[in-house]
């Protein structure tokens, strides 16, 4: 089914409640109110999801003049924006690193946490999350403990939820603490089952009735929202009118070409009926009389769209879309004086990086909320004892861009006796985990220094032995 043009897409609404605590006494009322607000978000999310997949308004365009020539071209720039944003942000897996490399036990436990996440395919699930919040402005992840005898190395399960059938309700007070997380499914019997999680209780609700209630020990709502930004806007949502205009212009460009090829025939002072016209098309020619008083003429009406001007319009719209969305352009320009940094600035990569860092901050805030639950589960079910303050989150993209400049910064700072070597590793930008890189390098430097000292000692001992041997020879020679 084709999509109509929507003009009400200005981000997703955050769902609030005045209830500071959700209990069985107020959960039905809160759920009803929240669900009505979520339905509006869900409709917008579904529209953007379908738009990203190519179901765009141009597909239902109707053409009144020459309706037989009605090309409907979808140039899916929305999907291009989504693919770039997700690939650029999470092209490499998110890493957990120690905030203090001197605590070896902490580093070992964080390594174990990374192994838990690897066994859960977290990198792939992060990509799923990024797909959702890039398309529709928000995404949801759920974390729950594994069953006692479940297979796998990790003590918890991670799930990426469909934001069209999931939402979080926040307290309408200081801090906006999440008080309720909801996911729902429609069964084959057309019955909607709501799974509702609070800080300490799980409820299952059908037809406004609580059919199941049981406590849990997570101490937090296990459904975590990952918004792309405060307004919960999708990456291409702000340029939807431009994307629609781009499709329309491109389609009309093809229409103009086709209409030129299938030009209408004009008859001046010639009376021809439908049967004769069919013979004309079959034979390819016509015989007629023309006088000076009534000159007759047969020819093609050949209006043609100016393809050069149309291309300029399309290129301008495309560049505007890239600029607004913070994507690198496709100028392809070059200069003999260009440096790597100049190309990055000129072609928009610096803007793309700034947009990605903005998204990083939002992602990290939600990730910490998820990590608190993950650590509570891991510390209870495995031999770890981690706190959220022990862990730093690192995005590892672009570590080797401008590698020569970064290496120069590193060596210059290391050569300065007034700068601590750890600061050089932290600020050169070469390493995803500066603490770990510094620790490995320090151990390597100490190892090399020890080898050098051993070689020097062996060399000195060898020289002393040779001197002693020469003395004996001289003594023997004297004797």
């Amino acid at each position: 089914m084709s999509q109509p043009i929507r003009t009400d897409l200005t981000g997703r609404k955050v769902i609030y409640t005045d209830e500071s605590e959700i209990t069985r006494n107020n959960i039905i009322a809160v759920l009803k109110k929240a669900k009505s607000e979520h339905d509006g978000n869900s409709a917008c999310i579904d529209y953007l999801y379908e738009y990203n997949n190519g179901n765009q308004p141009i597909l239902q365009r109707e053409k009144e003049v020459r309706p037989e020539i009605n090309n409907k071209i979808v140039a899916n720039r929305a999907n291009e924006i989504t693919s770039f944003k997700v690939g650029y942000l999470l092209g490499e897996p998110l890493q957990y690193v120690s905030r203090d490399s001197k605590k070896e036990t902490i580093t070992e436990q964080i390594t174990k946490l990374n192994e838990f996440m690897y066994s859960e395919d977290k990198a792939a699930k992060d990509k799923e999350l990024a797909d959702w919040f890039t398309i529709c402005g928000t995404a949801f992840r759920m974390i729950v403990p594994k069953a006692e005898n479940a297979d796998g190395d990790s003590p918890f399960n991670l799930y990426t939820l469909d934001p069209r059938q999931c939402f979080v309700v926040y307290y309408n007070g200081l801090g906006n603490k999440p008080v309720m997380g909801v996911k729902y499914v429609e069964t084959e019997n057309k019955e909607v089952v709501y799974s509702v999680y609070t800080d300490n209780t799980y409820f299952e609700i059908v037809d406004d009735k609580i059919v199941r209630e049981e406590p849990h020990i997570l101490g937090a709502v296990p459904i975590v929202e990952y918004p792309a930004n405060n307004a919960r806007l999708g990456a291409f949502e702000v340029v939807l009118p431009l994307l629609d205009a781009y499709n329309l212009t491109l389609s009309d460009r093809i229409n103009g070409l086709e209409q030129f090829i299938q030009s209408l025939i004009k008859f001046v002072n010639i009376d021809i009926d439908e049967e004769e016209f069919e013979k004309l098309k079959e034979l390819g020619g016509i015989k007629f009389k023309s006088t000076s008083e009534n000159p007759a003429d047969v020819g093609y009406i050949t209006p043609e769209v100016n393809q050069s001007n149309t291309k300029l319009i399309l290129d301008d719209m495309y560049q505007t879309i890239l600029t607004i969305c913070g994507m690198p352009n496709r100028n392809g320009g070059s200069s003999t004086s260009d440096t790597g940094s100049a190309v990055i600035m000129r072609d928009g990569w610096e803007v793309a990086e700034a947009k990605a860092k903005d998204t990083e901050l939002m992602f990290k805030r939600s990730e910490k909320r998820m990590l608190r639950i993950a650590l509570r589960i891991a510390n209870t079910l495995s031999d770890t004892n981690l706190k959220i303050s022990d862990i730093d989150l690192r995005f590892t993209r672009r570590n080797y861009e401008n590698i020569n400049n970064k290496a120069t910064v590193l060596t210059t700072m290391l050569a300065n006796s007034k700068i601590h070597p750890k600061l050089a590793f932290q600020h050169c930008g070469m390493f995803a985990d500066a603490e770990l890189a510094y620790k490995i390098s320090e151990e390597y430097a100490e190892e090399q220094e020890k080898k050098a000292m051993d070689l020097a000692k062996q060399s000195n001992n060898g020289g002393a032995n040779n001197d002693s041997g020469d003395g004996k020879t001289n003594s023997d020679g004297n004797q």
Side-chain angles (χ1 to χ4, degrees), residues 333-335 338-350:
S334 62
S335 170
D338 270 358
T339 63
S341 298
V343 171
I344 290 171
M345 294 295 291
R346 184 197 66 215
D347 289 349
W349 285 97
E350 196 67 26

Side-chain angles (χ1 to χ4, degrees), residues 24-77:
R24 65 177 294 108
N25 297 324
N26 60 16
I27 189 171
I28 300 298
V30 174
L31 179 61
K32 281 184 176 180
K33 181 177 179 295
K35 178 61 167 58
S36 65
E37 295 182 16
H38 164 73
D39 286 343
N41 285 342
S42 181
C44 294
I45 291 171
D46 190 62
Y47 179 89
L48 292 168
Y49 180 74
E50 291 292 325
Y51 197 104
N52 180 77
N53 292 344
N55 185 8
Q56 300 180 10
I58 188 66
L59 295 177
Q60 67 173 13
R61 183 178 76 152
E62 296 181 359
K63 191 165 173 281
E64 295 181 0
V65 180
R66 300 197 72 183
E68 74 278 5
I69 299 178
N70 185 15
N71 289 281
K72 302 173 183 179
I73 309 298
V74 174
N76 202 343
R77 298 297 187 185

Side-chain angles (χ1 to χ4, degrees), residues 211-475:
V211 298
R212 183 180 173 189
E213 178 182 356
E214 59 186 39
H216 66 74
I217 60 171
L218 297 178
V221 176
I223 298 176
V224 180
E225 184 177 11
Y226 284 72
N229 45 66
N230 285 332
R232 287 159 172 78
L233 278 165
F236 59 83
E237 189 171 346
V238 291
V239 292
L240 281 175
L242 278 171
L243 295 173
D244 291 333
Y246 191 95
N247 286 340
L248 181 63
T249 305
L250 185 60
S251 299
D252 283 342
R253 186 183 186 186
I254 304 301
N255 285 345
L257 181 62
E258 189 172 347
Q259 287 174 171
F260 175 73
I261 295 172
Q262 300 181 26
S263 298
L264 297 173
I265 301 177
K266 65 178 180 179
F267 298 90
V268 180
N269 290 328
I270 298 176
D271 188 15
I272 184 171
D273 58 25
E274 184 176 346
E275 183 179 350
E276 291 174 327
F277 182 70
E278 291 298 328
K279 289 181 179 180
L280 167 63
K281 291 198 294 183
E282 182 179 350
L283 298 174
I286 186 173
K287 180 180 178 182
F288 60 91
K289 292 180 180 181
S290 177
T291 65
S292 57
E293 292 82 8
N294 295 303
D297 181 37
V298 177
Y300 285 99
I301 301 175
T302 58
E304 183 180 2
V305 174
N306 190 314
Q307 297 292 330
S308 298
N309 289 344
T310 306
K311 185 178 185 304
L312 285 174
I313 295 171
L314 286 170
D315 289 345
D316 182 65
M317 283 194 289
Y318 183 47
Q319 290 300 324
T320 304
I321 289 169
L322 295 180
T323 301
I324 293 174
C325 292
M327 291 177 61
N329 61 47
R330 305 293 189 271
N331 286 335
S334 62
S335 170
T336 55
S337 62
D338 270 358
T339 63
S341 298
V343 171
I344 290 171
M345 294 295 291
R346 184 197 66 215
D347 289 349
W349 285 97
E350 196 67 26
V351 178
E353 176 68 9
K355 290 274 189 178
K357 286 181 178 179
D358 181 59
T359 306
E360 275 184 22
L361 295 175
M362 300 296 293
F363 192 98
K364 285 181 177 180
R365 184 171 68 177
S366 299
E367 188 77 356
K368 286 180 180 178
R369 184 169 285 171
M370 184 278 296
L371 264 180
R372 285 187 174 90
I373 303 173
L375 294 181
R376 188 174 289 116
I377 297 172
N379 293 342
T380 302
L381 301 180
S382 65
D383 57 348
T384 60
N385 186 27
L386 288 170
K387 297 180 294 182
I388 195 69
S389 58
D390 296 327
I391 302 171
D392 195 8
L393 284 70
R394 295 289 172 85
F395 287 81
T396 58
R397 68 181 185 282
R398 296 184 66 198
N399 290 321
Y400 300 104
E401 187 175 284
N402 286 338
I403 191 68
N404 289 333
N405 293 342
K406 294 176 181 178
T408 301
V409 172
L410 177 63
T411 53
T412 302
M413 294 181 73
L414 289 174
N416 191 328
S417 60
K418 295 182 179 180
I419 298 177
H420 194 285
K422 183 181 287 189
L423 295 175
F425 278 79
Q426 289 175 346
H427 294 285
C428 70
M430 184 182 293
F431 307 104
D433 187 350
E435 293 283 348
L436 181 61
Y438 172 75
K439 181 180 178 182
I440 294 173
S441 300
E442 185 180 34
E443 292 174 353
Y444 176 76
E446 291 175 355
E447 182 183 339
Q448 296 304 308
E449 186 178 352
K450 183 178 179 182
K451 286 182 179 179
M453 291 177 64
D454 290 343
L455 287 173
K457 188 181 293 185
Q458 290 177 6
S459 177
N460 291 335
N461 289 339
N465 291 334
N466 289 337
D467 290 343
S468 175
D470 291 340
K472 288 181 180 180
T473 302
N474 292 336
S475 175

